């Protein structure tokens, strides 16, 4: 048997190519949209990619299942569990086997047994793998998708938080409890192959190692220690990370069927950025590092550095409007790959960053100032302070004068925001607040980025608060502790 692991660090997404070396056939489990990596691996290993198996309708990235079905005729093995509104609508267009609890299918001498494991989503299934070609008559591992992770378990609130299906979180949590109890009945020696690792918003506290075993997770996974359903439900619904708003788009896209991309050919750069473009409904994203953007950029553009494009584009881009990029040619393939993988398909063109700089169009900048420089203005109310961190970070401690304005919610906030004084933006270290600064400045707001963020504020010994209780020291006009 052949088992190859693929991991997209930027989306914390894991997928797998499973091949039977006797029959030269292979299948991909939970593929991403960037399917060339699977086709290249199959060719390298001398196997034919004949199928795609998917554990559920994913919310955090565009699935590559349809792409592979359309491009190479891969057979679809997808769930037929759950309610009518969560069926694969495009499956009928292709060779597909719709799967329910107890079904099996073969890829060469490799057997896949289907378990219905609802909770994260109603249609969620897992695949037990048995290598019959090696003489085994019992499974060696389980593909859990977003059901069980290393050190965590899938969150049940996404349908409610992202897709707006009221009441589904509590029902999902109850289903997840029973799925977890069933998981604990599996043999300890089974390997666990999940679809995500640390950094994914599909659960809390995911581990950073690629795989585990059932026995290890039963002993050390916090979510698998509960025997009382109510206690489990309370635990799993508490302190989940914010659900990116693009998750609702991904759910719909993966249910209805993504646009088939084929081989992506990259266009040539466009000429100079037009003022009419940045003042239109289109989004112009400058992918430069935040320090470069702060020094000089085209007015009206926003800054999402390429290194965090996967994390924030889905929050901040309007999927119904065209997107333009400002970047260097060497970074363009990765930018297209990331945006396509989160469903941003309306990329209307791009501008070469070095050409934009030479043209003199990058006429705008914004200031970054240190905590000690800004402390007197913040404490006197001469500026408004926005803390753009997550709920969890805010609850752990924040600057007393700050207003909590999570970065992901900026698109909804900006249309109604009015400010008659400068706004200072702050995150943990200054990176997310730099994105916020670009959004505010593009909306016509006078903005300053707090260099080093909350960490720098604490390091300077400036006052903070936790649950309304002061922490640290007061400051005198010089900014030092009194």
């Amino acid at each position: 048997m052949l088992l190859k692991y693929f991991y997209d660090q930027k989306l914390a997404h894991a997928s797998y190519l499973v091949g039977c070396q006797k029959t030269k056939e292979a299948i991909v489990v939970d593929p991403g949209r960037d399917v060339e990596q699977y086709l290249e691996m199959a060719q390298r290993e001398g196997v034919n990619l004949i199928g795609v198996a998917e554990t559920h309708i994913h919310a955090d990235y565009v699935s590559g299942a349809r792409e592979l079905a359309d491009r190479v005729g891969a057979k679809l093995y997808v769930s037929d569990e759950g309610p009518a509104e969560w069926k694969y609508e495009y499956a009928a267009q292709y060779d597909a086997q719709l799967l329910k609890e107890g079904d099996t299918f073969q890829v060469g001498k490799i057997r896949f047994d289907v378990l219905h494991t609802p909770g994260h989503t109603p249609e969620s299934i897992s695949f037990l793998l048995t290598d019959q070609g090696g003489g085994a008559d019992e499974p060696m591992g389980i593909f859990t998708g977003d059901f069980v992770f290393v050190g965590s378990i899938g969150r049940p609130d996404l349908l409610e938080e992202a897709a707006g299906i009221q009441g589904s979180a509590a029902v999902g949590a109850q289903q997840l409890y029973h799925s977890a109890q069933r998981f604990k009945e599996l043999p300890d020696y089974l390997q666990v192959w999940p679809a995500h690792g640390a950094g994914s918003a599909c659960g809390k506290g995911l581990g950073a190692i690629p795989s585990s075993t059932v026995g290890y997770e039963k002993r050390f996974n916090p979510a698998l220690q509960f025997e009382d359903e109510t206690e489990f439900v309370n635990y799993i619904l508490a302190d989940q990370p914010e659900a990116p708003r693009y998750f609702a788009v991904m759910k719909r896209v993966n249910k209805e069927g993504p646009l088939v991309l084929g081989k992506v050919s990259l266009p040539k750069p466009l000429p100079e950025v037009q003022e009419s473009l940045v003042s239109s409904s289109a989004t112009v994203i400058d992918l430069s590092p935040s320090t470069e953007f702060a020094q000089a950029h085209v007015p009206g553009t926003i800054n999402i550095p390429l290194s965090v494009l996967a994390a924030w584009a889905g929050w901040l881009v309007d999927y119904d409007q065209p997107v333009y990029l400002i970047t260097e040619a060497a970074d363009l393939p990765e930018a297209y790959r990331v945006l396509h993988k989160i469903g941003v398909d309306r990329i209307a063109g791009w501008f070469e960053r070095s050409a934009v700089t030479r043209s003199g169009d990058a006429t705008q900048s914004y200031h970054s100032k240190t905590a000690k420089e800004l402390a007197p203005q913040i404490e006197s109310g001469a500026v408004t302070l926005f803390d753009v961190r997550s709920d969890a970070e805010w609850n752990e401690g924040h600057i007393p004068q700050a207003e909590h304005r999570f970065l992901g919610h900026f698109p909804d906030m900006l249309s109604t925001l009015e400010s008659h004084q400068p706004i200072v933006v702050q995150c943990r270290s200054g990176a997310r607040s730099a994105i916020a600064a670009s959004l505010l400045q593009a909306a016509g707001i006078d903005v300053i980025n707090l260099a080093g963020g909350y960490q720098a504020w604490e390091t300077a010994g400036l006052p903070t608060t936790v649950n309304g209780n002061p922490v640290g020291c007061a400051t005198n006009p010089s900014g030092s502790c009194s």
Side-chain angles (χ1 to χ4, degrees), residues 9-10 23-24 31 39 64 82 96 203 211 256 306 363 377 383 397-398 402-403 432 451 466 473 482:
Q9 191 71 40
K10 292 181 177 177
T23 63
K24 305 297 182 183
L39 298 174
S211 65
E256 296 174 357
L306 180 59
T363 59
Q377 294 173 276
V383 296
H398 54 269
E403 297 179 23
R432 285 169 288 174
V466 178
C473 60
S482 56

Side-chain angles (χ1 to χ4, degrees), residues 291-429:
T291 52
E292 295 180 15
F293 182 89
Q295 293 170 2
H297 55 268
V298 177
T301 60
I302 68 170
N303 179 217
I304 310 178
L306 180 59
S307 60
V308 293
L309 186 64
W312 291 108
W315 283 100
L316 304 175
V317 168
D318 186 341
Y319 276 69
D320 295 325
Q321 301 297 334
V323 172
Y324 293 85
L325 306 176
I326 297 177
T327 185
E328 297 297 352
D331 292 331
L332 191 66
E334 177 64 2
Y336 265 69
R337 186 193 75 83
V338 168
L339 291 174
H340 281 155
K341 192 157 182 177
I342 60 171
V344 179
D345 291 343
R346 298 192 62 184
I347 308 174
W350 68 287
F351 306 92
E352 195 166 23
R353 170 71 182 184
S354 53
V356 169
T357 302
R358 289 194 302 271
S359 72
D361 291 331
T363 59
Q364 198 169 54
S365 62
Y366 67 79
H367 294 292
S368 293
K369 294 185 178 181
T370 67
K372 287 197 172 184
E373 287 175 320
L374 287 170
Q377 294 173 276
I378 291 172
E379 293 173 349
S380 68
V383 296
T384 301
L385 175 62
F386 284 177
D387 184 329
V388 305
R389 298 176 301 159
S390 68
D391 288 344
E393 291 172 294
W394 169 267
N395 292 334
E396 288 173 359
H398 54 269
I399 299 170
Q401 294 80 12
E403 297 179 23
H404 188 209
R405 302 292 185 100
F406 173 59
L407 174 59
H409 296 159
F410 265 51
D412 298 325
M413 177 195 73
L414 287 174
S415 61
T416 60
L417 180 65
E418 294 183 6
S419 179
H420 305 292
Q421 61 184 18
I423 292 178
V424 174
V425 283
Q426 159 259 313
C427 62
R428 183 179 66 89
S429 63

Side-chain angles (χ1 to χ4, degrees), residues 91-276:
Q93 302 172 32
Y94 302 96
D95 182 14
Q97 183 175 340
L98 303 180
L99 302 171
K100 289 186 178 292
E101 167 74 28
D103 287 346
T104 66
F105 60 94
Q106 296 274 153
V107 177
K109 300 293 184 180
I110 301 169
R111 174 186 171 115
F112 292 82
D113 288 270
V114 178
L115 301 180
H116 182 211
T117 50
H120 175 66
T121 61
E123 81 286 355
S124 174
I125 54 178
S126 298
F127 303 114
L128 287 166
L129 181 150
T130 303
D131 181 14
Q132 294 179 327
D137 58 3
E138 294 182 2
M140 67 178 295
I142 180 170
F143 293 102
T144 53
D146 291 13
F147 164 39
V148 173
F149 302 120
V150 177
S152 187
I153 197 166
R155 61 190 294 182
D157 63 322
L158 282 181
L159 292 183
E160 185 161 332
E161 292 296 320
I165 302 176
Q166 297 302 312
S168 59
V171 173
Q174 292 164 355
Q175 292 176 333
L176 192 59
Y177 171 77
H178 293 285
S179 295
Q181 296 304 107
R182 185 181 185 192
F183 175 85
K184 290 191 284 188
E185 296 173 358
L186 295 172
D188 284 359
Y189 62 80
L190 285 183
Q191 297 180 60
V192 175
W193 302 304
H196 290 292
S200 170
C202 290
K204 57 180 177 179
L206 279 68
I209 59 174
S211 65
S212 184
T213 65
V214 169
Y216 189 88
E217 294 307 308
K218 283 160 62 174
R219 290 189 65 184
F220 299 110
N221 188 320
L224 298 179
Q225 307 310 308
F226 294 90
E227 297 299 333
D228 180 83
E229 181 174 342
T230 300
E231 291 179 1
F232 172 86
V233 168
N234 292 337
Y235 163 81
I236 203 64
L237 291 178
D239 302 322
Q240 290 287 0
E242 289 83 358
R245 66 180 199 156
Y246 81 95
F247 276 21
V249 178
M250 295 299 91
K251 273 288 185 184
R252 176 183 55 77
V253 165
N254 287 328
K255 180 177 72 169
E256 296 174 357
L259 174 72
V260 175
L261 294 175
K263 286 213 170 190
V264 177
S265 57
L266 300 176
K268 293 182 178 180
L270 296 170
E272 294 182 7
V273 183
Q274 301 296 315
E275 184 178 345
S276 59

Side-chain angles (χ1 to χ4, degrees), residues 409-482:
H409 296 159
F410 265 51
D412 298 325
M413 177 195 73
L414 287 174
S415 61
T416 60
L417 180 65
E418 294 183 6
S419 179
H420 305 292
Q421 61 184 18
I423 292 178
V424 174
V425 283
Q426 159 259 313
C427 62
R428 183 179 66 89
S429 63
R432 285 169 288 174
S433 56
I435 300 174
S438 75
L439 291 163
L440 288 166
Q441 191 175 54
I445 304 294
D446 185 9
V447 66
I448 303 166
N449 190 21
L450 198 164
Y454 187 70
Q455 288 180 328
W457 185 274
E458 281 192 306
T459 300
L462 295 165
T464 61
T465 182
V466 178
N467 296 325
N469 299 314
V471 178
C473 60
T475 58
N476 60 32
S478 68
S480 61
C481 292
S482 56

